[in-house]
Amino acid sequence: MNGFKPPLPLRAETPAAWAGAALADPAALLSDHAHNEKKAALNALNLSLSFGGAPRASVLLARLAEEELSHYRRVLEALQAFGWPLRPDGGNAYAKALHGQAARGLLDRLLIAALIEARSCERLWLLERAGASHPELGSAAWLGFLLELERCEAGHALGYRSLAEERFGAEAAPRLDWWLDREAEVIQSLPWRSAVH
Ligand SMILES: [Fe+2]
Ligand SMILES: [Fe+2]
């Protein structure tokens, strides 16, 4: 047990040793994460196109996009402060594998977003726990930022799930149950690298 309580009941716990692999190349980790935050902001805005007539959903997605954009900027500022470059986006095999199994349009897009947020949250928590002794990422300011990200992404996971439930009613829960198994398979099939997934 790594001790983390995820916002959604993830079915494959990341071993605590994962954080050591992720922190092996902190410049790569941060650069990859900047791209993740940017894509999370774009995804929230794209999803809002499907909720035109629903004010609560539109407000939730606008706030979510704003928060992701702010995370993106702050990760970029951290890269700048460390003197590390933003590397080209190497892609995210985890997100790609999940989207490759999507078959139910908007419902699946919302549930995949919820799961990615929940997994990110777990792994940010592991990084925060392991980071205290890290030469570059061990500062109190950095660890505080990770904690803030982790809490924010937990809220996003719940927000996406609530949008799926509101729009799709009774169809949402069994589909999430199906996705929880797929997510566990995907995350366990991927090699560890200096990235959140
Ligand atoms: Fe974020
Ligand atoms: Fe998020």
Side-chain angles (χ1 to χ4, degrees):
M1 295 288 285
N2 67 24
F4 178 70
K5 292 254 184 303
L8 300 181
L10 297 175
R11 291 178 182 163
E13 187 178 271
T14 300
W18 164 84
L23 288 164
D25 184 349
L29 172 66
L30 240 63
S31 188
D32 181 80
H33 195 59
H35 291 296
N36 285 345
E37 297 287 4
K38 177 183 61 188
K39 284 182 274 193
L42 287 167
N43 192 42
L45 279 180
N46 273 325
L47 283 166
S48 75
L49 300 175
S50 303
F51 287 91
R56 196 197 85 87
S58 301
V59 168
L60 191 150
L61 286 166
R63 191 176 64 232
L64 216 145
E66 206 168 42
E67 286 170 358
E68 304 294 24
L69 193 60
S70 142
H71 297 166
Y72 175 49
R73 173 182 53 77
R74 290 168 70 189
V75 176
L76 287 177
E77 285 169 354
L79 280 169
Q80 193 179 32
F82 285 121
W84 297 336
L86 176 66
R87 303 180 189 186
D89 183 2
N92 186 315
Y94 167 70
K96 205 172 159 197
L98 292 174
H99 283 287
Q101 298 183 69
R104 294 202 197 166
L106 180 61
L107 174 58
D108 281 351
R109 288 171 66 206
L110 291 168
L111 294 176
I112 290 171
L115 286 165
I116 293 176
E117 295 283 354
R119 180 61 68 187
S120 302
C121 186
E122 182 213 31
R123 291 195 157 184
L124 289 164
W125 184 85
L126 287 171
L127 287 177
E128 193 242 327
R129 295 286 295 244
S133 55
H134 194 274
E136 279 127 338
L137 303 184
S139 75
W142 176 254
L143 296 176
F145 178 45
L146 281 181
L147 191 67
E148 190 191 326
L149 282 183
E150 172 213 321
R151 288 180 180 157
C152 202
E153 314 307 3
H156 296 169
L158 298 176
Y160 279 126
R161 185 180 64 181
S162 78
L163 289 177
E165 288 167 347
E166 274 171 35
R167 174 62 72 98
F168 295 94
E171 200 189 338
R175 189 62 173 167
L176 176 61
D177 183 65
W178 182 84
W179 271 116
L180 283 162
D181 282 340
R182 302 293 80 71
E183 196 277 341
E185 289 162 7
V186 168
I187 199 72
Q188 288 176 307
S189 73
L190 293 168
W192 292 353
R193 59 192 188 113
S194 285
V196 172
H197 350 86

